[in-house]
Amino acid sequence: MKIVVLGGDGFCGWPTALHLSDAGHDVTIVDNFSRRAIDAELGASSLTPIRPLAERLDAWEEVSGRRIGFAEIDVARDYDALLALIGDEENGPDAVVHFAEQRAAPYSMKNSRTKRYTVDNNTNATHNLLCAVVESGRDVHVVHLGTMGVYGYGTAGMKIPEGYLTVQVTADEDAAGNPAEEHQVSQEILYPSNPGSVYHMTKVLDQHLFAYYAKNDRLRITDLHQGIIWGTHTPQTARDERLINRFDYDGDYGTVLNRFLVQAALGYPLTVHGTGGQTRAFIHIRDMVRCIELALANPPERGDRVKIFNQMTETHRVRDLAELLGRISGAQVAHVPNPRNESAENELHVVNDAFLELGLKPTTLSDGLLHEVEDTARRYADRVDLDKIPARSLWTRGNRAGVPEGAPTQRP
Ligand code: USQ
């Protein structure tokens, strides 16, 4: 398959591009290096020393004998270049994997500028892609990385289904609009959204763009509602130091379990927000790349509704993860004031049958894999800037965030 990976230089995009290339697909990365630019803006950097993309691509060719193409395009702004790539009669893609969005909830909540950037960038990128596929007249399967956060994290006394919910409404008209006896009508709707940040809200907006283009233009679209990724290596990124994936530990881009693993490796008290009562869905990065491949191999038919998968393999409560790391690596746990506006406690039960039925064998939390990430953190500990660890982006002005008591100010 010819596959374009939008955002192919990022945390999910890079290992996905390598995995698909290794599986024999003809892959082209599109990126505008916005993620590297935000690192510079925040004065933060990946724990792991990521190489410039050109060097990564040469290294991949050296170890695999396969070339991954590259086009520098800002998908949210440079529509003509995107259309030229997708519309190419000879070399245009069979599928596009869309990761080209600002993906950090804390960054999206930092200030008006980052809120506006996140909305402009994410919704324009998605809409430009959909317009380009329609205008190209080509049959291109769009696979988008969405988020579990579109549903919110509550329960309605049922497991969260894969995208759609059947509801009963009481109707008092017949199909022609004439008054009729009250009767029950069944309808399938998108599961009600309840985003918890401006970033998550952009993925809700994406869902509606997808539903419209699948209906109106019969585009084939798969939306993957992904949980929190943990881990950093895949078999491909581990093949050569120059292929190493990025690893974020800072308060804006670092996600909870990977942050805790770095903190454990540094002897920094684990930054549990509030009571740590939030339950979230998780998936290991190796499963993420397999899920993308499965989604590409199982597209919807033209005219079908958007195919939605819950891309997660297990749920955990934040304080349980902290306690587990305390047990296996002696880490101290600190309860810091929660910078976010979120429920103190939540339960989360999720249906994830679609990927399991397609053959996904989940890589679940294990001491061995946790130690693997901690070892990576220890190996690059001298690159850590301790000042970047506390989460300082606040959801509302009344919130406070902070450095845990007893946090080291110097690296071990
Ligand atoms: N948390 C802590 N301590 C920390 C960091 C986070 O207690 O040091 C808590 C947060 O308050 C939150 C939970 O852990 O309750 C998850 O936070 P996170 O930063 O790991 O994840 P989140 O902001 O939800 O976003 C991440 C990715 C995003 C993806 C999402 C999937 O950045 O791109 O869409 O996970 S999900 O959460 O399932 O919606």
Side-chain angles (χ1 to χ4, degrees):
M1 226 186 278
K2 288 197 180 82
I3 302 169
V4 166
V5 180
L6 305 180
D9 187 47
F11 175 61
C12 288
W14 174 242
T16 299
L18 294 188
H19 180 82
L20 295 174
S21 172
D22 207 26
H25 298 292
D26 180 354
V27 177
T28 299
I29 285 176
V30 168
D31 209 290
N32 67 342
F33 304 117
S34 60
R35 183 65 195 87
R36 293 182 191 243
I38 292 176
D39 268 349
E41 173 194 321
L42 297 175
S45 57
S46 165
L47 171 78
T48 47
I50 51 170
R51 304 296 171 100
L53 182 61
E55 196 182 332
R56 284 176 149 185
L57 297 177
D58 287 345
W60 177 244
E61 188 170 8
E62 211 179 292
V63 302
S64 71
R66 301 187 61 79
R67 186 78 200 162
I68 292 179
F70 171 60
E72 184 171 348
I73 299 174
D74 182 337
V75 178
R77 294 207 172 78
D78 196 351
Y79 177 74
D80 293 342
L82 181 68
L83 175 62
L85 184 86
I86 290 175
D88 187 321
E89 275 309 324
E90 231 165 84
N91 295 309
D94 305 301
V96 174
V97 185
H98 174 25
F99 295 109
E101 297 184 279
Q102 193 299 99
R103 67 97 181 142
Y107 182 79
S108 80
M109 300 303 290
K110 225 174 179 48
N111 54 46
S112 306
R113 184 182 60 77
T114 61
K115 287 177 187 174
R116 291 170 52 243
Y117 166 72
T118 303
V119 171
D120 290 351
N121 182 73
N122 293 6
T123 49
N124 278 331
T126 297
H127 193 236
N128 282 351
L129 169 62
L130 296 170
C131 277
V133 173
V134 172
E135 191 173 347
S136 75
R138 300 183 63 251
D139 181 15
V140 179
H141 177 203
V142 172
V143 175
H144 170 251
L145 199 83
T147 176
M148 285 296 301
V150 296
Y151 305 121
Y153 310 102
T155 49
M158 58 181 282
K159 285 186 170 182
I160 294 179
E162 305 208 64
Y164 298 96
L165 181 68
T166 305
V167 294
Q168 302 281 337
V169 293
T170 305
D172 57 5
E173 291 181 350
D174 64 18
N178 301 313
E181 286 278 308
E182 280 194 358
H183 57 286
Q184 295 295 305
V185 177
S186 242
Q187 266 191 35
E188 201 158 55
I189 59 168
L190 278 171
Y191 190 88
S193 61
N194 185 14
S197 71
V198 166
Y199 152 72
H200 287 99
M201 197 245 310
T202 63
K203 300 275 179 171
V204 170
L205 300 175
D206 285 345
Q207 276 197 293
H208 291 283
L209 292 171
F210 294 140
Y212 177 76
Y213 279 90
K215 179 187 72 171
N216 193 63
D217 299 280
R218 296 162 57 81
L219 294 196
R220 295 188 297 137
I221 302 171
T222 300
D223 198 6
L224 305 171
H225 289 183
Q226 182 166 268
I228 300 171
I229 298 214
W230 68 284
T232 177
H233 305 304
T234 62
Q236 292 78 28
T237 64
R239 272 161 79 172
D240 189 292
E241 174 100 32
R242 293 167 297 167
L243 300 174
I244 202 162
N245 197 18
R246 63 175 302 128
F247 188 121
D248 297 302
Y249 66 90
D250 64 280
D252 282 320
Y253 276 86
T255 50
V256 65
L257 183 50
N258 276 1
R259 269 166 68 71
F260 285 177
L261 287 159
V262 171
Q263 293 165 1
L266 293 171
Y268 192 102
L270 308 185
T271 54
V272 172
H273 293 167
T275 61
Q278 310 84 20
T279 306
R280 291 288 186 273
F282 289 84
I283 181 166
H284 193 275
I285 193 159
R286 289 183 203 162
D287 286 352
M288 182 275 293
V289 297
R290 289 191 199 119
C291 286
I292 303 280
E293 192 182 8
L294 287 169
L296 285 163
N298 294 278
E301 299 292 330
R302 269 185 93 92
D304 282 359
R305 67 180 190 185
V306 177
K307 199 168 187 177
I308 300 178
F309 293 86
N310 289 341
Q311 188 160 302
M312 50 73 68
T313 54
E314 53 193 327
T315 59
H316 296 286
R317 200 178 289 277
V318 169
R319 66 168 168 264
D320 295 343
L321 292 175
E323 277 163 23
L324 172 69
L325 291 191
R327 272 202 308 283
I328 66 173
S329 57
Q332 301 290 308
V333 175
H335 288 271
V336 299
N338 196 341
R340 305 186 184 206
N341 185 3
E342 60 187 359
S343 317
E345 305 275 325
N346 73 281
E347 297 293 330
L348 186 62
H349 304 285
V350 181
V351 174
N352 66 341
D353 297 342
F355 275 127
L356 299 179
E357 279 161 19
L358 291 175
L360 179 73
K361 303 266 176 295
T363 309
T364 48
L365 216 66
S366 67
D367 291 8
L369 279 171
L370 290 168
H371 282 304
E372 181 190 296
V373 184
E374 216 187 321
D375 288 346
T376 303
R378 213 166 276 123
R379 178 152 173 229
Y380 296 108
D382 62 338
R383 291 173 51 85
V384 171
D385 178 351
L386 295 174
D387 190 48
K388 298 295 173 209
I389 291 183
R392 295 196 170 93
S393 293
L394 305 181
W395 261 235
T396 56
R397 281 209 201 124
N399 290 9
R400 292 178 303 123
V403 183
E405 272 180 42
T409 50
Q410 296 197 322
R411 283 188 302 268

